[in-house]
Amino acid sequence: LVRVAAALVHHRGLDDTRACLESLRAQSRPPDRLILVDQASERGAPAALRAAFPEATVRENGSNTGFAA
C-alpha cells in the first residue's frame, strides 16, 4: 500500500492556497495526510483554512521563517 502525503506552506495569498487545497482534494487519490504550515499570514486565515479543509493539519508559525524552515 502506497501512502501519499502533501505539505503546503501558506503566507498570504489565501485564494491561491485555497485553490491548491481544492486541487489536492479533487485528485482521484487525495493525500492520506495533508499538512499546511501558516507562516504568520493574514489574520483569520488559519481558522478559515481549518474550517474549509478539516482534512488538513494546520500548523501556525509566529513569523515567516521562509519555505525551507
Side-chain angles (χ1 to χ4, degrees), residues 27-51:
Q27 295 299 307
S28 59
R29 174 134 193 256
D32 298 301
R33 185 159 187 212
L34 180 56
I35 301 167
L36 175 67
V37 180
D38 180 82
Q39 296 279 53
S41 61
E42 57 272 350
R43 175 176 267 169
L49 291 167
R50 277 189 190 97

Side-chain angles (χ1 to χ4, degrees), residues 10-11 36-41 45-46 49 58-61 63:
H10 170 75
H11 178 68
L36 175 67
V37 180
D38 180 82
Q39 296 279 53
S41 61
L49 291 167
V58 179
R59 308 282 174 140
E60 294 181 57
N61 282 346
S63 63

Side-chain angles (χ1 to χ4, degrees), residues 4-8 21 24 31-36 53 55-58:
V4 177
L8 179 66
L21 291 168
L24 288 168
D32 298 301
R33 185 159 187 212
L34 180 56
I35 301 167
L36 175 67
F53 303 93
E55 68 272 25
T57 299
V58 179

